[in-house]
Amino acid sequence: MCGEENNTELSISERKKILRKKAKAVLSEYFSDKGLAKSASDSICDFFLKSELYKNTTAVFGFMPMADEVNIIPILKRALADGKRIGLPRMIPGSNKMEFYAAESLDTGFTSNNVFGIKEPGADSALIERSSIPENAVFLVPGLAFNLSGARLGRGKGYYDCYLSAIKDRDDIALCGVCVVPVITKGIPYENNDISVTHILNEYGLVKCSEGIYHF
C-alpha cells in the first residue's frame, strides 16, 4: 500500500499520522471507482456469508459504512433475514466512546446527529449490554489499514479501541477487520492500548490472523 520508508526515528503517533494520510488517499482513489468498490464489497460480503464464522454466530455487530469503507449492508440485511441479532454503534457525544444498539431494521430508526454524519441507531433502539454479548458473536471492524497479524490503524479517535478493550479477553468473540487489499500492509505502528483483530476480511477471502504483532 504505502511505501515502507524508514520511520524508526519518528514517534508512534507521528508514524500513525503519516500512514493515516496515505491510507486515506489510497481509499479515496479506490472507492472513487464505483464499479471497483461495488465488486470488492460484493465479494467481501459473499465470502463472509459463506464462512463458518457467519454460520456459527447468532449475533453480528457491524457498522454503517462511510464513503471510503466497504459496504457491508448486504451482510446486515442477510443476518436480519436469517434471524440473527444485529448490533450497530452509536457514539457518545463529547467523548471517544461508543456503545452498540440493537437494529431491527436497516430502513428506519436511524439518526445522523453526530460529528461525522454517520447513520446511527436512534433513541428508541435498545442498548446491548457488553455482558449480554452472546458466545461466538462476530464484530465487523472498520479501519484505515491492517496487517495480517491483526494490527489495525483506525481514524485516530479511539472509539473501537476503547469499546473492544472491554471484551478483548473473550476468546469466543471474533473481531473481523474489514478492508480492501490495497490497505493491508506490514508496517502498522502498534501501541499497547491498540486492539488487534482476529480475522481479516477482504475481497480475496477471510483470513485468520497469525500469531504476534509486527512492531515498526
Side-chain angles (χ1 to χ4, degrees):
M1 168 190 70
C2 318
E4 301 283 349
E5 29 319 349
N6 184 358
N7 290 325
T8 54
E9 294 184 2
L10 299 176
S11 68
I12 289 179
S13 62
E14 288 171 328
R15 283 183 277 154
K16 283 184 174 182
K17 184 176 181 180
I18 291 170
L19 186 56
R20 283 192 184 99
K21 183 176 180 179
K22 292 181 177 180
K24 286 179 180 179
V26 169
L27 290 169
S28 177
E29 180 178 359
Y30 190 100
F31 283 91
S32 68
D33 185 331
K34 301 304 182 184
L36 177 62
K38 184 179 186 307
S39 177
S41 293
D42 288 349
S43 293
I44 287 168
C45 292
D46 189 55
F47 276 119
F48 181 73
L49 291 171
K50 291 179 178 177
S51 71
E52 290 298 307
L53 279 184
Y54 180 74
K55 177 182 176 181
N56 295 329
T57 190
T58 60
V60 177
F61 291 75
F63 58 90
M64 298 302 284
M66 296 193 289
D68 61 351
E69 292 178 333
V70 173
N71 179 16
I72 65 164
I73 298 299
I75 292 176
L76 301 177
K77 288 184 175 180
R78 171 69 176 279
L80 283 173
D82 288 343
K84 297 181 188 287
R85 192 177 185 186
I86 295 297
L88 293 170
R90 185 202 297 169
M91 291 171 279
I92 299 174
S95 74
N96 66 337
K97 297 180 180 180
M98 66 182 189
E99 296 289 348
F100 278 82
Y101 289 77
E104 306 297 337
S105 167
L106 296 179
D107 299 319
T108 60
F110 287 89
T111 178
S112 299
N113 188 24
N114 58 70
V115 294
F116 301 106
I118 302 171
K119 290 179 68 176
E120 299 179 317
D124 293 335
S125 301
L127 172 67
I128 301 176
E129 300 286 352
R130 296 176 199 186
S131 59
S132 71
I133 296 173
E135 293 183 2
N136 298 321
V138 178
F139 282 78
L140 299 177
V141 183
L144 292 176
F146 295 88
N147 73 21
L148 293 179
S149 288
R152 168 185 174 270
L153 182 74
R155 294 179 184 269
K157 304 301 182 182
Y159 288 99
Y160 274 88
D161 287 326
C162 185
Y163 183 89
L164 296 177
S165 65
I167 60 171
K168 65 180 180 179
D169 295 328
R170 288 271 308 267
D171 58 10
D172 61 308
I173 292 176
L175 305 180
C176 192
V178 183
C179 66
V180 291
V181 164
V183 291
I184 297 177
T185 184
K186 188 177 181 180
I188 302 286
Y190 188 80
E191 299 174 280
N192 289 334
N193 61 334
D194 292 330
I195 304 300
S196 57
V197 295
T198 59
H199 297 73
I200 301 291
L201 176 63
N202 62 74
E203 64 269 40
Y204 292 105
L206 177 63
V207 181
K208 188 170 183 179
C209 296
S210 56
E211 294 296 326
I213 297 294
Y214 291 116
H215 294 267
F216 291 92

